[in-house]
Amino acid sequence: FLAARFRADLLKWAALLLGVLVFVVLAFPIEVPRPSENSLIYFGGQTLGGPPAWVMLPLLFTAVAAIMMFVGQTVGKAFGALSALEAYRFDILGSLIGIGVFTAISFLQLPPIVWAVIVVAASVALSLPRLPRVMTLGQTILLVTLAVESVAPLTLWSPYYKIQWISAPTRFSEGTQYHFAANGVPHQAIRSVELIKDSRNSLAFYLSPYQTIHRPPGRVLIIGAGTGTDVAIALDQGATSLDAVEIDPVLYALGKKLNGDAPYKDPRVHVHINDGRAFLEQSSEKYNLILLALPDSLTLVSGQSALRLESYLFTAEAAQSFRAHLAPDGVFAEYNYYRQPWLADRLAQTLATTYGQAPCVNTVVGDNGAGVAFLTESRDPQALDCTRWVKPAGVAPPVHDDRPFLYVRDLAIPNFYLWSLAGILLISFLAIGLVGRGLRGWTSYLDLGFLGAAFLLVETKNVVAFALLFGTTWVVNSLVFAGILLMVLLAVEISRRNFRLPSWVLYLLLTLSLLVSFAVPTDALLGLPLVERLVAAIALSFSPVLIANLIFAGRLRESASSTTAFGVNLLGALFGGVLEYSSIVLGYHYLTALVLGLYAVSFILLRLSSQKAYR
């Protein structure tokens, strides 16, 4: 929309705003207060201060949106200078290059200065031969700020986190224990087995699973192995063989280097850098003990879903999978700082439903003063000697793979989300109203707005489906987005070669592909071998993407103003991002019904429009 109204290149303001925003965030960090409603658990640091989250989120959204608005103006000018499909083609090719660069940076675990250099190089290339002073100032601020950040001591960059650590002396011979923070939030620690076995301190809770089963653990699986403390304890308690699963390669590397008990150098230990649920689905091993050790990731899978890295470890279906991997006398245990009593009760109810009996529960005070709840269950009811959980009234039901929102208690969108989303929408429409005022014919492209909303929900559903089927790792995430972009590029190339079908035929094919996807739940594919599962997932997930983009590309090709048409499409995508939160109520599977409704409205608006894509 800016491109249609302003001839001057505004990219220089994006560079300035980006530099200033990054500097302010790093120089003046604010930990916003957690939401007061106890139906939502929110992860954050220990020191709180500043405005409430529902105020800060719209403000942060405004700052980021302003930066991208000025970048988008440059994109819009390119759309105006080229034919619609040619411009869109370059846009998708650039996005694919971006995915490739992101993947390489994540794989190499490079610091933020590398990101800054890439961004600055791209903005310089777009501005040459003239480099405005405002842009140079913003680029300098960005480079200096992230250079300082990149050389911070005791800091590493994993594909998921900024990881920092500190050491603290102890009175034991090992001398030191290490504490780690992920993205500024206390995350985990390395403690020696000797320190933990001292019953006079608050760390003895680590021994709870072994005190419950009263026998050597035998063959053990630990998910969330981290820096190795739980692995060292299991070895000390008599594990004969141990599979240690950790999703973050940097945390594992730090544990291998710094852990004084050297658990990762023990020949009994086999390390797997993988998602815990994905490892289970790919394994046929049976274990005497399976331990979920503090697997709270503190991060989302991507900006296209409300899914967290650990979400699929706590569903009812995951509990069934854990049970299936237990030996006849095997024991399953999980522990964490559960923050709210209703969360521990929800997990206990999940185990009770899975095993047909109440699990053992042991609540102790952890080393940070917060309550730690251990939940233990076994296929053999006689294998445990413990206090059983007593079901309270109004316990939150188990979560499922289709709706894996463990930290949201009720089947409703929390007020925290509603207020934040309302603020974001209000700011968006006010800004677009100011910038887009006077644009001619934008209402003729409302069908493209609904296409954008529906497509973002399809994208969200694909990210979630592949996370369940292949793991919630950054690699899977990159491959999904690359696959979606390749389908978009294929649709553009087909349309550039004057492929034409009546609009009703394409919409019919799109509807059929979505109905097939709806008829085959994602978890129904989990039982397939890996190759067959991949083929089925690609066919079910990417067919609607291809057909939807054939519709979009054909419509864009016939548009009188590709800049305005693309702008309305992006506005629709913003609306789709808000609608994505309806999955908290509907579940991800039933997002397909919402997608079908949006595409139906798009088709009706297309038929009513004076600018039809196909005649």
Side-chain angles (χ1 to χ4, degrees), residues 174-202:
E174 286 79 1
T176 304
Q177 61 176 336
Y178 295 91
H179 299 267
F180 298 86
N183 295 342
V185 179
H187 189 35
Q188 57 182 270
I190 293 177
R191 279 91 175 227
S192 70
V193 172
E194 185 180 356
L195 177 63
I196 289 168
K197 291 172 71 174
D198 183 350
S199 60
R200 291 168 294 175
N201 66 61
S202 59

Side-chain angles (χ1 to χ4, degrees), residues 169-312:
T170 72
R171 63 183 180 83
F172 293 98
S173 58
E174 286 79 1
T176 304
Q177 61 176 336
Y178 295 91
H179 299 267
F180 298 86
N183 295 342
V185 179
H187 189 35
Q188 57 182 270
I190 293 177
R191 279 91 175 227
S192 70
V193 172
E194 185 180 356
L195 177 63
I196 289 168
K197 291 172 71 174
D198 183 350
S199 60
R200 291 168 294 175
N201 66 61
S202 59
L203 299 175
F205 65 84
Y206 280 102
L207 300 172
S208 183
Y210 310 98
Q211 294 168 347
T212 301
I213 59 179
H214 298 294
R215 61 167 172 79
R219 182 162 176 73
V220 178
L221 167 64
I222 295 179
I223 293 179
T227 49
T229 297
D230 289 281
V231 177
I233 294 169
L235 295 174
D236 178 77
Q237 295 297 306
T240 57
S241 176
L242 194 151
D243 284 324
V245 180
E246 170 56 42
I247 197 170
D248 194 309
V250 173
L251 285 175
Y252 157 68
L254 286 170
K256 186 175 182 180
K257 176 182 178 181
L258 300 176
N259 196 313
D261 292 315
Y264 289 131
K265 298 178 182 178
D266 193 296
R268 291 172 289 174
V269 176
H270 308 281
V271 178
H272 309 270
I273 305 300
N274 199 356
D275 169 75
R277 182 73 181 276
F279 174 83
L280 274 180
E281 301 300 339
Q282 297 161 11
S283 171
S284 59
E285 297 290 338
K286 301 287 185 179
Y287 298 94
N288 303 110
L289 173 64
I290 297 177
L291 178 63
L292 251 62
L294 293 165
D296 48 353
S297 67
L298 310 178
T299 192
L300 296 175
V301 171
S302 78
Q304 270 64 38
S305 75
L307 194 70
R308 295 168 60 92
L309 294 182
E310 77 275 18
S311 292
Y312 285 130

Side-chain angles (χ1 to χ4, degrees), residues 470 525 528-538:
F470 305 103
L525 305 180
L528 296 176
L530 183 61
V531 175
E532 287 88 338
R533 191 191 320 162
L534 179 62
V535 172
I538 290 174

Side-chain angles (χ1 to χ4, degrees), residues 156-487:
L156 290 176
W157 306 87
S158 84
Y160 305 98
Y161 308 113
K162 170 190 175 183
I163 298 176
Q164 300 165 287
W165 69 95
I166 60 172
S167 60
T170 72
R171 63 183 180 83
F172 293 98
S173 58
E174 286 79 1
T176 304
Q177 61 176 336
Y178 295 91
H179 299 267
F180 298 86
N183 295 342
V185 179
H187 189 35
Q188 57 182 270
I190 293 177
R191 279 91 175 227
S192 70
V193 172
E194 185 180 356
L195 177 63
I196 289 168
K197 291 172 71 174
D198 183 350
S199 60
R200 291 168 294 175
N201 66 61
S202 59
L203 299 175
F205 65 84
Y206 280 102
L207 300 172
S208 183
Y210 310 98
Q211 294 168 347
T212 301
I213 59 179
H214 298 294
R215 61 167 172 79
R219 182 162 176 73
V220 178
L221 167 64
I222 295 179
I223 293 179
T227 49
T229 297
D230 289 281
V231 177
I233 294 169
L235 295 174
D236 178 77
Q237 295 297 306
T240 57
S241 176
L242 194 151
D243 284 324
V245 180
E246 170 56 42
I247 197 170
D248 194 309
V250 173
L251 285 175
Y252 157 68
L254 286 170
K256 186 175 182 180
K257 176 182 178 181
L258 300 176
N259 196 313
D261 292 315
Y264 289 131
K265 298 178 182 178
D266 193 296
R268 291 172 289 174
V269 176
H270 308 281
V271 178
H272 309 270
I273 305 300
N274 199 356
D275 169 75
R277 182 73 181 276
F279 174 83
L280 274 180
E281 301 300 339
Q282 297 161 11
S283 171
S284 59
E285 297 290 338
K286 301 287 185 179
Y287 298 94
N288 303 110
L289 173 64
I290 297 177
L291 178 63
L292 251 62
L294 293 165
D296 48 353
S297 67
L298 310 178
T299 192
L300 296 175
V301 171
S302 78
Q304 270 64 38
S305 75
L307 194 70
R308 295 168 60 92
L309 294 182
E310 77 275 18
S311 292
Y312 285 130
L313 290 174
F314 296 105
T315 65
E317 293 82 359
Q320 292 287 353
S321 183
F322 285 123
R323 187 179 189 277
H325 283 79
L326 288 177
D329 64 341
V331 172
F332 171 82
E334 59 184 328
Y335 75 95
N336 211 327
Y337 300 91
Y338 287 122
R339 293 171 174 82
Q340 293 282 352
W342 64 261
L343 178 56
D345 288 332
R346 162 176 272 171
L347 293 171
Q349 177 62 32
T350 303
L351 294 180
T353 303
T354 302
Y355 291 86
Q357 61 192 15
C360 298
V361 60
N362 180 24
T363 302
V364 296
V365 177
D367 56 318
N368 62 0
V372 179
F374 276 89
L375 300 172
T376 312
E377 193 53 276
S378 175
R379 299 185 67 171
D380 179 9
Q382 307 304 317
L384 304 177
D385 179 18
C386 60
T387 301
R388 296 283 177 173
W389 173 68
V390 178
K391 181 179 179 179
V395 62
V399 295
H400 292 271
D401 285 346
D402 182 50
R403 188 179 169 272
F405 306 112
L406 179 69
Y407 306 110
V408 180
R409 184 181 64 183
D410 303 320
L411 193 65
I413 302 176
N415 291 331
F416 164 64
Y417 289 159
L418 292 176
W419 281 107
S420 299
L421 292 172
I424 287 171
L425 280 178
L426 178 61
I427 292 169
S428 300
F429 283 106
L430 286 176
I432 291 170
L434 290 173
V435 173
R437 183 179 300 168
L439 288 178
R440 295 181 180 179
W442 70 270
T443 56
S444 301
Y445 302 112
L446 285 178
D447 59 300
L448 290 177
F450 282 90
L451 277 177
F455 184 74
L456 189 132
L457 293 180
V458 170
E459 187 177 44
T460 295
K461 194 170 182 301
N462 287 346
V463 170
V464 170
F466 275 77
L468 173 60
L469 293 174
F470 305 103
T472 53
T473 65
W474 68 271
V475 176
V476 172
N477 205 32
S478 294
L479 291 175
V480 172
F481 283 113
I484 291 172
L485 289 171
L486 284 172
M487 289 297 101

